[in-house]
Structures are given as structure tokens and as C-alpha cells.
Amino acid sequence: MSQDSLDSLVTSENDIDIRLDVDDEYEQERQSGRRRKRRRRSGDKKEKKKKHQRRRSSSSARDGREERQTKKRESSKKQREKHFKERTTERNEEEAQTSSVKATKTNKNINNEKTRKTKTAERETEKRNEKKMDKSPKTIERKESEGKNTDKSKERKKHKKVQNSSDEEKTKEESEEDKEEQEELDKEQEEVRSECLSPEELEKLKEAVDERKKLIQSLRVKPWPMKKKLVSLRESQEFVEKYEGALGKGKGRKIYAYKVIMTKKWMKFERDFENFKTTLIPWEMKIKEIESHFGSSVASYFIFLRWMYGINMILFCLTFGLVMVPEALMGRPYGSIPRKTVPRAEEASAMDFAVLWDFGGYAQYSVLFYGFYNNQRAIGWLKFRMPLSYFLVGVGTVAYSYMVVIRTMARNANESGIGDDNSFNFSWKMFTSWDYLIGNTETADNKFASITTSFKEAILEEQESRKDDNIHLTRFLRVLANFLVLCCLAGSGYLIYFVVNMVMSLLGMFCPMLFDVISTLENYHPRVALQWQLGRIFALFLGNLYTFIIALMDEINLKVRSTLKGDLDRNAPAFITWTVYICQRKEEMIVKYNITTWENSFNGTVSENSTATPISLHPADVPRGPCWETMVGQEFVRLIISDTMTTYITLLIGDFLRAVLVRFLNHCWCWDLEAGFPSYSEFDVSGNVLGLIFNQGMIWMGAFYAPCLPALNLLRLHISMYLQCWAVMCCNVPQERVFKASGSNNFYMAMLLVILFLSTLPAIYTIVTIPPSFDCGPFSGKNRMFDVIHETLESDFPVWFSKVFSYASNPGLVLPFILLMVLAIYYLQSTSKNYKEANVKLKKKLQMQNEENKKKNKRAALKAQMDLEEARKASSQQKHVSPRRHQDVNEIHCSRQRHYYSKNGRNPAPPVGDRSLRRSAPRTYQHVNPGPPGYLPGLPRQSETRMHRVPSLQRH
Amino acid sequence: MQIEGMKLYLSLMALDNPFRQRIAEVFSEDGEGNMTLDDFLDMFSVLSEMAPRDLKAYYAFKIYDFNSDDFICKSDLEKTLNKLTRNELTDDEVRMVCEKVIDEADLDNDGRLSLEDFQHMIVRAPEFLSLKKNGFFSYKIVLEITV
């Protein structure tokens, strides 16, 4: 203590001295021998070190030098200052020594000199033991500087040791921390060392440190047991610390620790978020469960259903948010005008359930249907352009659907084009399919089921690809089957054309079964068979529909609406527009005539006695024309409802009741119901998909006239999702041949696109060609529905805009534009074709190359193996390998093998001692590892590690 | 760390895990499933999300190598397959799958998979490439079923 304080006094005194005569003395100092200076400095450092130790044991207050040292750590700027100070102190000491003015100080210096010498001797021996390669004689100066560095690191360790205990994670963290800090303070260290080390030594040291750092980084990659990892980590950490110098524990460290924690937290958050996103995907779990039991083909239906749900959600948002809600909130209320009021004649029964169920009565005169909307240009305080909005939403619905379908198709095509690297199909299935995180029995069951299913699928694929039967027979059978199907289609068309009533639904029921029977002839892969089946049923439905429409056109003039209504079939929506329209036109004429005559008579009476107040007529009493748009909408809504009902009922009866009967009657029945005739039903993918597609077609067709349709469809899809999921899991059995659905559902999409096109045709036709009803709907009073655009352009936009628009819509401009578009499409199409071809070619090339490589490898490996066998024989005679650690042996094998591969198998058998040599050296596992780091001077071995550890533990 | 670790341990050692015995054996020093603390830490470091792929592949190989002869041979494959499918495949199917696996992954044509073969095959697996998202041999919050 006393010495410390004295010392500090002395230094402070010296400081003052220096400042007085700094100018001339500094020059002198520079000229004096570098070596001497170093010695002085190092002696000084030695003192410092001693003090550290003392301070540690006694935990005394900091003296002036200590303060200086901390200062040094804080910034390089200050450090320079300190350097200067140190130097000057040395000078002073020198003076003191020579003149022997300060006895105490000299004494101390001598003491230091002694301890220094003993210590350096110790170190020298240590280092010699540890490093043999070191040829350059170590100067005392360097040793001393190193000693100083270790000292610092020790100090730092105080904090570290506790964390450095058994937790490996933390140790690793620590190591990263160290590295970071070391990098931060590298410069500082350079500055210190550059003065006392020769450049070569510095270079060497740097290399060694880098090597160690690499080791620390790559430690994770090594398949070592934990003990070894910890030891080597500690060793190299200490080494690095020692030579890279110790670092402050001030702000930087804390910030770094904080950073590490935050990155960890962030990673965890990301992971959680990923999981969260997966849980947000609606019905994902349900679908996965179904997939695991029924295979991907059944799951593909549900995925398709979910996709449809998404589309309908968007459509619903459009119509609900931009049409129904604004009208309900801002439009005129119910009962204010005739089109918004239930007519007097229907008032009595308007609230009956039967009427409402049929979407008549109050339901008909509500926002659900076209007729309710007023033709007022702008409604509410927002000046919401209702008719325009209605029109644009109608167009937008269709446009959005087209866009989505086509985009999805394109994406699917893209996916199927790139992916499918099946080179290790079975191996991957075998080794990577188990999820090591499953901790729940039910989940595990599902996983087992799904793995089994996927294996079965893969096996089936494999068998299909291997199968080569009589090609001629198959061809003949396929042609025959197609012929039969064509006959069926023609027959059904014929029947429908002449018999019309009820035949369609019957045909729709029985033809698919017939097709199913026929398709067994063809012997296709089930996936292809499913597509054929789908295509055929689709053709049947469409053909029937159009034959029906054509048949109807013939007699449509004579038909009355009431009889027609009865004939509506779920698969025949398109004709409604036609028939209803044509009937309505006639009716409308009559009504219009009636109304004008009625109005005339009414006006006539008014004009006769003009003094009387004009009679205010209740809106319910006002005569009105037939609103054909609402009628069409109603028809569609009814169709959807009945369609949904039939689907659900068939599901309940056909699947559930059947399953229940089979299950419970099986005990008391003469034959085995479960294995025999009725059995449980399989999930009918094709039928369900088609149902879904046609249903969507109806929505697209009718959505313009009944804005409520998307909402209804949403409800329907939602319910059927749950109902069908339940029904599948509860009453269906997996198909006999579980097959993998094609990854992309492009076939479904193609059918959807066709239906979309076919269903938008009539809607567009009506919008473009037929004038809207005169007294209902947002377009009443206009000649055509699209006049609303024209109107908006004229009244809501500046004049120049409409002018520009009229120019732009000039056929002279539009036609070239269309031509340009066609050209562009053609160009893109041909380029994409070329790319596709190139892609296929490249794929083939790659495959060929892969196979070639495989063959080559195999040949090389065969040779290598033979060599290996020889070597093994030779070595087994000489060397006994203890099998305690398999991995040791394993590594040797693999490193040896790699060795062989690198020489392409031409390497002769290695010397017998090879194995033992490799064993003694630190094992290399992967190329990441640069190899065993050379042992450098001052490398702390394990014994030293312990030495460091003990005091640190005692301290805390 | 502790909670996650326990969770991981539970899910790893859950009765449903077909390879739980193997995992314990591979990571234990005595080869019989009795783990010391170091072994336990070993296991964590391998299974942690941070662990490099090569390390995972190495230990995966050891786990699938049932008879510990440093090669995955046909018997190992059959064992793996039967464990994965709970013996639901027929013998023919099992044989076929094993043959296919050997055919696909065996580069040196010795009828069994060495570590090299295994690594060559496994690092190309889509599950392996997207290690983070997928549960292959790594820890994450347990989801019902992973894709």
C-alpha cells in the first residue's frame, strides 16, 4: 500500500517535471537506444503487473497508475497520451537510477528486475516445451509485453470465469464475444505491439491467432464429444486472448452482449412468427390430417376448396364493401320509392318463411338484389357514385377472377417446370421424413400414416413407371374407351335435345358412373385416369348444357316463365338469362303500356280538377314493371341454395348413413358388409371438384344481378369445408390405390378457366346488348348499362379528359392497339415455348451428366474399395483399433476415403502407421476445418487453464 | 434454454419417436443410452438450430446406422423403414424401397451407404436445404404436423 501511494506520488512528480523540460528531453530520448527504452518500459509494465496481483488479493483502492491503465483501455487517443507519459516516466526513472536520488524507487526497480528475470526464465522453459518450431530467440521485451497482455486478460477473466462454467452455449457465446471485441480493439493492440515486436514475429503471431479463431468458429462443426470441445475451446480462447490482448469491459461489451441476446430473441421471434403464420393458414391442420390418411389427391380437393374460399372472400369483400353496405347505409331507406317497397299485392305474404326461403317478399326488395338499387347518381354525404360503383364492381369481379385463375395457372406451371428433383426420392423419404419434434401421440400417428401413405404413393409411381404391358392392347382399349365415351356424350346430347325434362339430372348422375367403368378399361395411372374422368364429366355437363340451351331456343318463344322454372337444373344456369330475358321483354312491353295508360288516365283526372291537391300515392301502390334483372338474380340464388342442399343431403345420406348402416348392421347381416357390397364409400374427388367448379361458374354468372351471391357462396364453402372434412374422416375409406396428386392443380384451374369464360359470356352479353329495366336497378333510365361510364366521364371529369378518352376509344386507335397486343402475346408465347424446350434439353443434359458422374464415381469407388480392403488387411494384422469411440474409426475411414477419392483411386495403400498417426493428431472432420493449429509459444495447456480457473472461482 | 431444452428432450424422447432409442444410444458414451451431462450437452448442441448441417448429417448417419458398423446396410434400411411406417408395408414393398434407396444413394456400389454417400444424398434433400423451416433433426416449436 505504502509503496503504491508513494509510487503514485513519484509519478505525479515526474509528470510535472516532464512537462517542464519536455522539449529538449524528448529529442534526447528518441536518439537513445531503442533497446534500452524497451527494457525500461517493460520494467515499468512488470511493476504494473505486480500491482495487479497485489490488488487482486487485497482488493485495494486504485492508484494513479491503475487509473492510467484504465484510461488507456478506454481510447487509443488517451493511450497515446499515456505512452508519452510512460516514456517520460522511464526517462525519469533512468535519471533517478543513475543519480540515486530516490532510494525507494530504485529498490523497487531492482526487485522488479529480479522477479522479472525469474519469471521470464519460467516462461522461457514453458514455451520451449510447448513450441518446438519457434526458432527465433525470444527477446525479453516481447515476453514482458506478453506478460502484460496476459495480465490484462486475467483481469478480464474475473468476470468471465463465472459464465465460463459448464454451460457450453454460454462459452460459445463468450467466444463470439471475445472475437468481436478483439476485432474492435485490434488496432489498439497493434499499436502497443508494433513497437515491441519485429514484423515477422507479429505476422506469425497473427497467423496463429487467426488459426485459433478459425478453430473456435469451426468447433461446432466437429463431431467431438463435449469434453474435448470445451477443452479445445478454452485453450484456443485463452490463446487468442493472450495474444490479442485483453479488452475493456465497459460499454462495448455490454452492447455486444445485448446484441447477442437480441439476435437470439429475434431468431426465436422469427421462428415463432413462422409457426404463427402456419397456424394462420385456415384449415391447414385439417387438410394435413386428411392428407396423411387419404393421400394427396383427396387433399388436393380440399386445397382447391380453400383456394376457392379465398377467391370468394375477395369477391364478397368487393360486393359487400362497395355495393351493399353503401346502399344500405347511405341510399334511400326501404319504403321510400316504389322499387324499394314490397308491392301491395305481395305485402300479406312477404314475411312468410316459404316466401323468404324462395327469396321473394322482403328478401327480394332488399340490397340482396339488383332491383333495390336506385339510379341516383351520387348518394349520401360522401357523394358515393352508386351506379358507377355497381358497374365497376361487376366488371372488377370478373376481371379479378380471370387474373387470379390465370396467375395461379402460370405459377403452377412454373413450379412444375422447375422442381421435381427426384434423384433421391426414396432416400429422402426414408431419412428425412420423420419430424423429430413431434411430441404428441396423435400427431405422431398422423405422421406415421402420412409417411406410410407417401411411401405407398411413391411405390405406386415406381411400379407404374416400370410397368410395360402389351402396348397394342392398351392402345386398343384406350381407343375403345374413348369411343364409348363419345357415344355416351352423343347419346346424352340426343336425349336432352328431344326429351329435355328431367333427363339432364339423370344423365348427370349415371354418366359419371359409366365413365368410371369405362376408364378401368384404359389402365391409366390413377392420376391420369382422374384427369380423364374429370374431363369427360366436364364435357358431359357442358355438352348437356349447351344442347339444352339450343333446344330451349327452339321453343323459347312459346314457353312461359312458370313452366320453365320447373325445368331448372343445377347444371343449367346459362339458359336462365335467355329465357327469363325473353319472357320479360314481352311482359315489360305490356306493363309499360299499361303504366303509361294508367298514368295518362291519372293525370287526366288531376288536370280536370287542378285546384285539388295532388294525390300522394303510396310507393307500394305504384304499378311497376317486371324487373328481369332481379328475377335472374333470384334464379341464381335459388339454384345455389338447392345445389348446396342436394350436396349436403347426398353427403349425409350417401356417406354418413351408409357408413352408419354398414358399421352397425354388420353384426347381424348375412354377409360381410364392410368388405362386401355396400362397403364404405371412397371420397369422390372428381365429382366434388366438378361440383365446386360449376358452382363457382354460377356465382360468376349471377353475381352481377344478385350482389349477395358471393356472400352466400362463402357461407356454403365454409360449411362444406367443415362438413366434408368431417365426413371424409368419419365415413370414407382411403382409395385402394393411393396416388400422388400432381403438385399443381392446373387441371382444375384449366376447367375453372373454361367455366369462368363460359359464365362471363352471358353476363357480358346482357350488359352490352340488353337495355336495363326502366324502373328498377342502378341503371334504370339508361339505354345500356355501360352508359354509366360515359355519364361519369362527362359529368365528373374535366372536359379534356373525356375528349382524350373519346379519342382513345376511337376504333382507329383501338384496333392497332389490339393488333399490337396480339403481336406481343404471340411473341411472348413463342419465346416461352423456346425457353421451355431449352429447359427440357438442359434438364436432360443434367440428368445424363448426373448418371455419368454416378457411374464414374462407382468405378472409382470400386477401385478405392479394393485398395482399402488391402490396407485394412495389412493394418489389422499390425494394429488393433480399440472400438470404444466409433466415430474415431469412422473419421479415419472417411478421411482415408477422401484421400483416396482425391487421387482417383490410384493411390497405393497407405503405410501401416497411417492410422495411428491420424489418431494422434487432432482429427479433421470436414473441409471447414483448416487443420490442427500449430502450438505457439505461450499456448496455455490444460494445466494452465486450471490455474486460471482456480483463483477466479475463489474470488467469487 | 431450460424450458426449450426440456421441451426438445420430451419431444425427442416421446414414446412415439421411432428413433428415440437410437438417439439415446448414439449420444451416450457407453452406447447403451445412459447419458452423462456431457452426452446430454452433446445431443443439444447437435440438435440445436444453430448446429451446422454437416454435423447434423453426421449424427443422422449414426442414428440410422443401427448395427453401428459405420455403414447403412440393407438391414439398417429395413429397420428404419419399418420403424417409420410401423410395419404397415408388405415385405415386398419394404424390399423394393430399400433397393431403391441403395440404388439411388450408393455411389461406390458396395451395396451399402457409407457416410460419404449419406452426406452426398442428404445435403440435397429439400428438407435439409430449408433446415430452419423444417423439422428435420432440429429443434423448433412443436407444430402439429410439419409440411
Side-chain angles (χ1 to χ4, degrees):
Chain A
M1 265 319 262
S2 61
Q3 254 197 355
D4 278 356
S5 54
L6 207 92
D7 223 34
S8 71
L9 259 174
V10 167
T11 41
S12 61
E13 233 180 280
N14 288 338
D15 279 356
I16 297 161
D17 283 349
I18 302 149
R19 263 156 218 160
L20 289 173
D21 48 14
V22 94
D23 292 317
D24 46 344
E25 279 212 21
Y26 191 62
E27 280 305 306
Q28 216 182 330
E29 171 64 27
R30 292 199 76 164
Q31 283 157 11
S32 72
R34 204 179 154 81
R35 198 183 158 83
R36 212 175 64 186
K37 184 174 99 190
R38 273 192 205 158
R39 181 175 286 163
R40 278 293 147 208
R41 256 189 67 199
S42 46
D44 199 41
K45 277 166 202 162
K46 199 72 208 174
E47 262 175 61
K48 266 188 255 162
K49 186 182 175 181
K50 222 179 149 191
K51 262 174 221 153
H52 285 307
Q53 281 161 350
R54 215 183 302 142
R55 183 170 42 102
R56 247 182 231 167
S57 52
S58 64
S59 58
S60 66
R62 293 180 178 196
D63 54 17
R65 281 192 196 194
E66 175 57 23
E67 266 172 31
R68 266 191 277 153
Q69 198 166 358
T70 43
K71 256 189 227 163
K72 176 193 169 188
R73 252 180 253 120
E74 271 166 29
S75 74
S76 56
K77 202 175 160 191
K78 277 183 185 171
Q79 197 186 17
R80 244 169 249 152
E81 212 174 274
K82 195 203 124 198
H83 268 294
F84 184 67
K85 273 186 192 173
E86 260 179 52
R87 247 178 259 136
T88 47
T89 330
E90 280 158 24
R91 257 177 282 139
N92 279 335
E93 276 166 18
E94 215 176 306
E95 278 174 349
Q97 267 181 355
T98 46
S99 62
S100 65
V101 175
K102 283 159 191 171
T104 43
K105 185 134 181 49
T106 345
N107 275 344
K108 210 189 105 196
N109 267 358
I110 291 159
N111 278 348
N112 286 340
E113 207 75 23
K114 270 184 196 168
T115 44
R116 192 183 69 199
K117 265 172 189 162
T118 48
K119 280 230 167 185
T120 41
E122 268 174 36
R123 279 180 178 276
E124 205 84 46
T125 47
E126 252 179 50
K127 273 161 203 173
R128 247 170 231 150
N129 289 341
E130 277 159 18
K131 201 205 167 183
K132 295 137 205 165
M133 283 165 61
D134 190 23
K135 293 154 221 159
S136 62
K138 293 286 139 193
T139 60
I140 297 164
E141 283 81 12
R142 187 180 156 185
K143 290 283 142 65
E144 285 313 302
S145 74
E146 277 159 16
K148 184 194 116 199
N149 285 342
T150 348
D151 207 356
K152 277 195 201 167
S153 70
K154 269 186 194 168
E155 199 175 270
R156 217 164 71 86
K157 279 261 164 90
K158 258 199 271 173
H159 284 252
K160 242 189 82 176
K161 282 291 147 123
V162 192
Q163 298 165 347
N164 210 3
S165 54
S166 65
D167 195 334
E168 198 256 351
E169 276 289 308
K170 273 183 190 164
T171 337
K172 280 183 179 176
E173 217 172 278
E174 198 75 34
S175 77
E176 281 168 11
E177 215 169 295
D178 287 349
K179 270 178 262 156
E180 188 80 11
E181 281 173 12
Q182 277 148 13
E183 274 158 33
E184 273 173 31
L185 286 145
D186 245 349
K187 270 189 188 170
E188 194 182 323
Q189 291 305 315
E190 291 307 287
E191 229 171 287
V192 177
R193 225 180 277 144
S194 57
E195 283 176 41
C196 53
L197 276 180
S198 68
E200 307 103 68
E201 279 170 341
L202 203 70
E203 201 61 33
K204 244 183 208 170
L205 199 64
K206 244 178 150 181
E207 246 171 56
V209 166
D210 280 348
E211 226 162 87
R212 286 299 170 139
K213 275 185 184 173
K214 263 184 207 162
L215 179 74
I216 292 173
Q217 269 172 340
S218 62
L219 201 67
R220 278 186 191 158
V221 190
K222 300 187 191 333
W224 297 346
M226 190 56 60
K227 232 182 240 166
K228 194 173 170 194
K229 268 188 187 171
L230 275 177
V231 167
S232 55
L233 177 76
R234 223 169 277 148
E235 273 175 10
S236 28
Q237 260 177 4
E238 262 157 35
F239 181 88
V240 169
E241 262 161 36
K242 195 168 179 176
Y243 289 102
E244 287 233 299
L247 317 147
K249 43 200 152 164
K251 257 185 186 170
R253 192 194 171 98
K254 262 185 195 163
I255 288 175
Y256 183 71
Y258 184 68
K259 237 160 88 187
V260 168
I261 292 171
M262 281 325 278
T263 39
K264 283 212 157 184
K265 284 248 161 78
W266 176 245
M267 268 178 70
K268 193 168 174 340
F269 170 75
E270 268 184 325
R271 209 168 45 189
D272 285 344
F273 190 68
E274 205 70 33
N275 285 344
F276 179 66
K277 269 199 314 208
T278 323
T279 49
L280 274 193
I281 299 173
W283 305 301
E284 182 74 2
M285 295 305 142
K286 267 178 191 293
I287 292 175
K288 286 286 162 212
E289 201 181 344
I290 288 170
E291 186 173 7
S292 65
H293 283 99
F294 290 84
S296 45
S297 59
V298 176
S300 76
Y301 164 73
F302 284 97
I303 290 169
F304 186 59
L305 178 61
R306 183 175 64 186
W307 186 80
M308 289 288 241
Y309 185 84
I311 285 192
N312 277 288
M313 184 66 103
I314 301 284
L315 298 188
F316 166 73
C317 285
L318 274 177
T319 51
F320 194 75
L322 291 175
V323 172
M324 286 165 82
V325 168
E327 177 69 23
L329 289 182
M330 300 187 288
R332 289 194 180 180
Y334 172 83
S336 53
I337 45 174
R339 72 183 68 179
K340 296 193 176 198
T341 324
V342 177
R344 192 67 76 196
E346 297 170 27
E347 226 167 34
S349 63
M351 212 41 204
D352 291 357
F353 179 75
V355 175
L356 284 181
W357 182 248
D358 209 28
F359 286 89
Y362 285 109
Q364 186 184 348
Y365 298 95
S366 68
V367 282
L368 300 183
F369 291 104
Y370 172 93
F372 183 78
Y373 294 83
N374 198 3
N375 61 346
Q376 202 180 351
R377 265 200 70 231
I379 56 169
W381 52 274
L382 273 178
K383 298 269 175 243
F384 191 79
R385 305 285 193 269
M386 196 59 222
L388 181 71
S389 169
Y390 196 100
F391 184 78
L392 287 184
V393 164
V395 173
T397 305
V398 174
Y400 171 77
S401 309
Y402 269 115
M403 205 182 69
V404 158
V405 172
I406 287 173
R407 207 180 50 194
T408 314
M409 278 180 84
R411 204 173 45 217
N412 284 349
N414 199 20
E415 265 172 27
S416 63
I418 293 172
D420 277 18
D421 180 16
N422 273 333
S423 45
F424 296 112
N425 192 8
F426 279 93
S427 316
W428 290 339
K429 276 212 169 64
M430 175 96 83
F431 294 121
T432 63
S433 53
W434 181 258
D435 185 349
Y436 282 84
L437 303 166
I438 293 175
N440 170 338
T441 316
E442 213 171 309
T443 321
D445 285 343
N446 277 343
K447 192 72 192 173
F448 278 120
S450 78
I451 290 172
T452 313
T453 314
S454 76
F455 265 116
K456 278 188 177 155
E457 282 175 358
I459 290 170
L460 187 70
E461 303 278 306
E462 189 60 30
Q463 280 169 349
E464 287 294 331
S465 68
R466 268 189 204 169
K467 202 159 64 182
D468 45 359
D469 296 330
N470 190 346
I471 288 181
H472 297 292
L473 180 69
T474 336
R475 261 186 207 154
F476 169 73
L477 282 176
R478 282 178 189 176
V479 170
L480 181 73
N482 278 323
F483 179 72
L484 285 178
V485 169
L486 274 181
C487 286
C488 279
L489 288 179
S492 68
Y494 179 83
L495 273 178
I496 289 168
Y497 189 81
F498 287 103
V499 197
V500 178
N501 281 343
M502 289 316 290
V503 176
M504 246 182 78
S505 43
L506 279 178
L507 280 173
M509 244 165 97
F510 288 108
C511 273
M513 291 184 197
L514 204 63
F515 292 160
D516 208 16
V517 173
I518 291 171
S519 72
T520 53
L521 274 180
E522 291 174 309
N523 205 10
Y524 275 125
H525 180 275
R527 184 169 53 229
V528 186
L530 175 74
Q531 289 190 351
W532 276 97
Q533 173 83 350
L534 275 172
R536 279 167 191 162
I537 301 173
F538 190 73
L540 173 79
F541 280 6
L542 270 188
N544 289 359
L545 199 67
Y546 273 78
T547 344
F548 195 41
I549 289 172
I550 293 164
L552 270 175
M553 296 291 263
D554 292 343
E555 1 181 343
I556 208 151
N557 303 325
L558 314 168
K559 282 274 179 188
V560 195
R561 197 167 60 90
S562 55
T563 51
L564 254 178
K565 243 161 110 184
D567 301 334
L568 294 180
D569 186 82
R570 53 183 279 194
N571 301 319
F575 74 96
I576 300 167
T577 329
W578 294 88
T579 48
V580 170
Y581 159 66
I582 287 163
C583 305
Q584 292 296 325
R585 296 318 291 177
K586 284 180 187 164
E587 246 177 78
E588 195 175 293
M589 301 281 250
I590 300 161
V591 173
K592 241 184 186 169
Y593 177 74
N594 285 345
I595 286 175
T596 37
T597 51
W598 178 80
E599 266 177 355
N600 283 341
S601 63
F602 189 74
N603 285 342
T605 47
V606 169
S607 59
E608 269 170 27
N609 35 359
S610 51
T611 49
T613 51
I615 304 160
S616 61
L617 212 58
H618 192 271
D621 297 325
V622 176
R624 56 191 81 177
C627 192
W628 62 268
E629 291 97 339
T630 299
M631 292 295 171
V632 172
Q634 263 177 312
E635 291 299 340
F636 276 110
V637 172
R638 278 175 206 147
L639 263 177
I640 293 287
I641 295 285
S642 66
D643 187 26
T644 312
M645 282 338 218
T646 20
T647 318
Y648 292 165
I649 287 167
T650 33
L651 191 84
L652 282 180
I653 292 175
D655 286 348
F656 183 63
L657 211 64
R658 181 169 155 190
V660 167
L661 286 180
V662 168
R663 180 92 173 72
F664 292 105
L665 282 184
N666 200 26
H667 303 294
C668 44
W669 205 260
C670 10
W671 69 83
D672 190 4
L673 283 175
E674 282 181 345
F677 160 60
S679 159
Y680 298 107
S681 52
E682 283 178 4
F683 187 78
D684 174 21
V685 180
S686 57
N688 276 303
V689 166
L690 281 176
L692 209 60
I693 286 174
F694 274 94
N695 175 55
Q696 192 59 38
M698 277 182 241
I699 301 296
W700 278 322
M701 236 187 274
F704 192 74
Y705 300 118
C708 64
L709 264 182
L712 272 177
N713 199 35
L714 204 65
L715 197 69
R716 169 207 152 104
L717 291 179
H718 200 99
I719 293 171
S720 67
M721 189 68 175
Y722 284 102
L723 199 68
Q724 284 190 309
C725 275
W726 164 79
V728 163
M729 290 305 284
C730 157
C731 11
N732 285 1
V733 286
Q735 276 137 327
E736 269 174 49
R737 303 174 75 196
V738 186
F739 61 93
K740 198 168 181 244
S742 53
S744 53
N745 294 325
N746 254 1
F747 195 71
Y748 300 161
M749 290 295 160
M751 287 198 296
L752 198 66
L753 194 66
V754 171
I755 275 290
L756 179 57
F757 179 71
L758 289 178
S759 56
T760 43
L761 265 188
I764 290 174
Y765 179 81
T766 48
I767 288 171
V768 173
T769 56
I770 303 171
S773 301
F774 69 97
D775 67 341
C776 72
F779 310 113
S780 56
K782 293 189 178 60
N783 196 23
R784 293 282 184 270
M785 286 178 189
F786 58 83
D787 280 350
V788 71
I789 300 274
H790 192 66
E791 188 193 75
T792 312
L793 275 177
E794 270 187 353
S795 49
D796 286 344
F797 284 93
V799 184
W800 62 267
F801 191 84
S802 58
K803 237 181 197 172
V804 167
F805 190 79
S806 67
Y807 283 134
S809 60
N810 184 18
L813 270 177
V814 171
L815 279 179
F817 184 69
I818 290 175
L819 196 68
L820 200 70
M821 277 219 300
V822 169
L823 284 178
I825 288 170
Y826 180 73
Y827 170 73
L828 288 178
Q829 204 249 345
S830 50
T831 43
S832 82
K833 214 174 175 181
N834 282 343
Y835 282 140
K836 226 180 223 170
E837 271 174 23
N839 215 352
V840 169
K841 266 183 197 165
L842 282 176
K843 234 181 183 173
K844 233 177 216 170
K845 242 185 198 171
L846 212 65
Q847 217 168 354
M848 295 276 276
Q849 199 139 28
N850 269 345
E851 268 166 32
E852 187 96 341
N853 278 349
K854 213 171 166 183
K855 270 181 202 162
K856 223 189 245 169
N857 271 343
K858 280 190 176 175
R859 241 177 284 139
L862 212 63
K863 250 182 196 170
Q865 213 197 342
M866 272 153 65
D867 289 347
L868 194 69
E869 284 300 318
E870 271 173 41
R872 207 176 277 159
K873 264 181 210 163
S875 64
S876 62
Q877 289 164 358
Q878 306 230 344
K879 175 92 184 163
H880 170 72
V881 183
S882 73
R884 203 185 70 82
R885 278 245 159 250
H886 299 297
Q887 86 198 44
D888 290 9
V889 185
N890 201 7
E891 267 157 37
I892 292 157
H893 276 318
C894 104
S895 58
R896 284 176 82 182
Q897 269 185 352
R898 198 171 295 123
H899 190 55
Y900 281 53
Y901 284 139
S902 64
K903 307 231 164 167
N904 209 10
R906 267 171 230 148
N907 199 25
V912 186
D914 184 33
R915 184 169 292 188
S916 55
L917 252 176
R918 271 163 200 277
R919 273 170 70 81
S920 66
R923 285 180 291 276
T924 60
Y925 172 65
Q926 273 293 314
H927 47 277
V928 191
N929 183 18
Y935 289 118
L936 265 123
L939 170 75
R941 300 302 303 207
Q942 212 175 332
S943 59
E944 215 180 335
T945 317
R946 298 258 158 77
M947 248 169 59
H948 282 288
R949 284 180 67 94
V950 176
S952 74
L953 283 172
Q954 278 173 348
R955 245 179 286 123
H956 288 268
Chain B
M1 166 66 201
Q2 291 138 351
I3 297 169
E4 285 183 13
M6 269 332 278
K7 249 182 172 174
L8 163 68
Y9 184 70
L10 286 177
S11 62
L12 259 181
M13 294 301 144
L15 282 174
D16 313 298
N17 190 338
F19 302 113
R20 68 178 192 287
Q21 191 59 37
R22 270 309 289 168
I23 294 173
E25 280 169 20
V26 164
F27 283 104
S28 65
E29 207 161 348
D30 59 358
E32 285 170 17
N34 305 320
M35 288 205 193
T36 62
L37 179 65
D38 275 352
D39 296 335
F40 203 65
L41 291 178
D42 262 346
M43 190 176 82
F44 277 150
S45 75
V46 171
L47 293 165
S48 82
E49 208 172 352
M50 312 277 284
R53 283 171 190 166
D54 297 319
L55 191 65
K56 279 174 188 286
Y58 174 76
Y59 277 97
F61 178 79
K62 289 190 74 165
I63 284 173
Y64 292 124
D65 177 19
F66 279 85
N67 49 14
S68 314
D69 62 350
D70 298 327
F71 287 100
I72 295 182
C73 50
K74 259 194 183 159
S75 66
D76 293 328
L77 288 177
E78 276 167 21
K79 238 179 206 168
T80 311
L81 191 58
N82 282 332
K83 274 185 189 278
L84 269 179
T85 57
R86 286 187 173 161
N87 300 321
E88 275 184 39
L89 294 182
T90 62
D91 285 348
D92 276 346
E93 284 170 330
V94 169
R95 205 176 313 122
M96 194 197 125
V97 170
C98 292
E99 268 166 23
K100 279 302 288 182
V101 169
I102 296 269
D103 184 48
E104 281 169 1
D106 181 25
L107 293 179
D108 45 13
N109 220 2
D110 58 354
R112 53 191 186 173
L113 305 188
S114 65
L115 180 62
E116 292 257 309
D117 300 334
F118 187 76
Q119 278 178 337
H120 181 257
M121 175 269 295
I122 203 92
V123 294
R124 284 165 178 75
E127 281 87 1
F128 217 77
L129 293 176
S130 57
L131 201 59
K132 245 189 189 172
K133 279 180 195 166
N134 217 296
F136 174 70
F137 217 58
S138 76
Y139 169 70
K140 65 172 184 178
I141 306 293
V142 177
L143 246 178
E144 284 289 304
I145 314 166
T146 44
V147 182

